[in-house]
Amino acid sequence: MTSVLYDAQGPRAKRRNVLYTVLFVLGAAAVVWWVYDGLASKHQLDWIKWKPFLTSSQPWDTYIWPGLQNTLKAAFFALIIALPLGALFGIGRLSDHRWMRAPSGVVVEFFRAIPVLILMLIANQAYFEYTDLAPDTRLLYAVITGLVLYNASVLAEIVRAGILTLPSGQTDAAKAIGMRKGQTMVFVLLPQAVTAMLPAIVSQIVVIVKDTALGGAVLSFPELLASVRPMAANYGANTIACFTIIAVLYMALNFALTSFASWLERRLRRAKKSTGAVVGTGPGGDLETIGAPSLNIDDGRAT
Amino acid sequence: MFDFLDGYDLLGAFWVTVQLTVYSALGSLIWGTLLAGMKVSPVPLMRGFATGYVNVVRNIPLTVIILFASLGLFSTLGVKLGADGFTGINFRLAVLALSSYTAAFVCEALRSGINTVPVGQAEAARALGLSFTQVLRLIILPQAFRSVVNPLSNVLIALTKNTTVASAIGVAEASYLMKKMIENEAQLLLISAVFAFGFIVLTLPTGLILGWVSKKVAVKR
């Protein structure tokens, strides 16, 4: 990356950079040593604490795989329920009829403003009071419900932004050949918007996977994160080792998804066939649209 | 109708949420700006560090980071951040965890803001003989900040909602109180409504005010 911020470097700048690099390395080395010393003095780096994960399959079979399966199960169901629901509300917000636009908008903004954790707690208690689900199923349902309510409203915004990226000529042309509004949406707008939306949807899957961890921490849903406590208790208080393994797993999973999303984004922006507009999730998991002709995904947005 | 609120410190719980949000916002703004500075700096090692940090932190669930702060840092390693008492320690650890997580998003927002500043400005600044730090501090960052008010307000709103995760390590903020209340009182609908309303009151004005500010301060190009 040749940055806009600095020129090609001459001999003095290069010497200075070497100096900064050395200082940075020294600082980093000091931090690493401090961390290492802290870990070693509490016996967290002893081989015995890490051995179970590296030499036997027992922790994987007993704790990690079942946890990972539950994580993926919750994320998968949340996604496949939230996606059509989000599409429905996203299209609803673009409707010509006020009686459809207004409630869709209220629902979407409402569930976007409330933390997922709170939605999960409410869902869990509601299932507990009003249904007679078995505790295991109830927790899974509660986690999925919380995730669906929040992510459907975010996906609704993604769908809306995706449709809004299309030039208005598309709708005009469809009208000109006598298509009805429903036909325009289904045959002209949606298929084109899907390509623009794909990267944002993939990034949203990362958010869903990360949020399943709330189910483990707050509702004791037996997912990946929840396997830390029993694991650490079983293998002699190797909390640090357990957290490291779990964090690496989440990271690998999500990093694959993030990389896929940004590859898709680059790929779609290059593609000549599409409009060139891509909806990406910006920092904080919110929407930003890249390279679109005229976009106003900010309007009418409460949060 | 609202007599189920008796005996619960609702305002106190939301006050803890606000405190968590404000301290973490400040922490993540400082750390995130430093990271963004490193990410565009001429020193390759710093760039690598910032990129690595953002990629790692963004892909780990906040819940894992917060639980690690309590179970790993405090229970196992004895890190107390200079506080004593369970409440104080966990509050500070939650701020640390939230700040380090949110900083990654602040860094990304700022970097996208830096990209909006025209190349010519930096070139002109360099032609005047300003150094990298001067270009960044005097020319680029002030404009970048003004163009990222909106993304940053989204990060702030996400942070406000994320503070609820601190209840996982026993910080007595709003969702912690809510969990206690729906277990003890048979008023699920009303309690949910009260807390939902509380969060809407916290996040809605943030979005509206900062949205207005962002229109006000945006550099017109």
Side-chain angles (χ1 to χ4, degrees), chain A residues 133-141 221-222:
Chain A
L133 291 166
D136 289 357
T137 340
R138 192 185 74 223
L139 290 176
L140 177 66
Y141 279 24
F221 171 61

Side-chain angles (χ1 to χ4, degrees), chain A residues 14-290:
Chain A
K14 274 188 183 144
R15 270 203 303 278
R16 209 167 48 226
N17 280 349
V18 171
L19 177 72
Y20 288 149
T21 310
V22 169
L23 287 178
F24 187 75
V25 167
L26 285 179
V31 173
V32 168
W33 169 250
W34 178 67
V35 171
Y36 172 82
D37 193 50
L39 288 173
S41 67
K42 303 279 181 193
H43 305 290
Q44 286 298 320
L45 292 175
D46 298 355
W47 173 237
I48 190 131
K49 308 254 179 196
W50 294 79
K51 201 175 80 178
F53 301 108
L54 302 171
T55 55
S56 82
S57 67
Q58 197 219 355
W60 299 88
D61 293 339
T62 328
Y63 302 106
I64 298 177
W65 290 136
L68 189 62
Q69 271 170 8
N70 274 333
T71 292
L72 293 177
K73 204 198 285 174
F76 174 75
F77 282 115
L79 180 73
I80 59 166
I81 301 172
L83 209 51
L85 211 61
L88 215 64
F89 277 102
I91 295 171
R93 280 196 93 169
L94 292 168
S95 164
D96 288 340
H97 307 292
R98 179 173 258 284
W99 57 266
M100 207 162 154
R101 212 168 50 223
S104 313
V106 169
V107 168
V108 167
E109 293 302 345
F110 181 75
F111 286 112
R112 256 158 53 98
I114 299 175
V116 189
L117 177 70
I118 291 218
L119 293 174
M120 282 184 189
L121 284 177
I122 296 174
N124 185 41
Q125 190 69 14
Y127 286 133
F128 176 70
E129 282 179 25
Y130 303 116
T131 65
D132 44 2
L133 291 166
D136 289 357
T137 340
R138 192 185 74 223
L139 290 176
L140 177 66
Y141 279 24
V143 170
I144 293 176
T145 311
L147 289 174
V148 162
L149 290 177
Y150 175 73
N151 289 292
S153 53
V154 176
L155 287 168
E157 289 297 274
I158 293 178
V159 170
R160 192 166 75 109
I163 291 173
L164 286 176
T165 57
L166 298 172
S168 61
Q170 299 282 341
T171 320
D172 296 342
K175 259 185 208 154
I177 59 170
M179 279 188 166
R180 277 179 278 115
K181 272 190 300 194
Q183 287 177 316
T184 312
M185 186 56 78
V186 174
F187 296 115
V188 180
L189 298 183
L190 266 187
Q192 297 185 72
V194 162
T195 52
M197 282 156 17
L198 267 181
I201 292 176
V202 177
S203 315
Q204 198 56 33
I205 304 177
V206 174
V207 176
I208 296 180
V209 169
K210 289 202 299 193
D211 281 353
T212 54
L214 286 173
V218 185
L219 297 182
S220 61
F221 171 61
E223 48 69 74
L224 191 54
L225 174 60
S227 54
V228 167
R229 277 176 206 258
M231 225 159 36
N234 196 29
Y235 296 112
N238 57 349
T239 318
I240 305 279
C242 292
F243 265 110
T244 312
I245 299 281
I246 297 294
V248 167
L249 280 178
Y250 273 115
M251 224 163 59
L253 185 63
N254 288 335
F255 189 69
L257 284 169
T258 332
S259 315
F260 179 60
S262 52
W263 174 81
L264 210 60
E265 206 172 295
R266 274 199 308 275
R267 169 89 215 246
L268 290 175
R269 228 180 309 173
R270 242 182 331 162
K272 290 278 184 300
K273 264 191 237 160
S274 72
T275 55
V278 176
V279 182
T281 36
D286 268 289
L287 301 178
E288 58 184 30
T289 315
I290 307 149

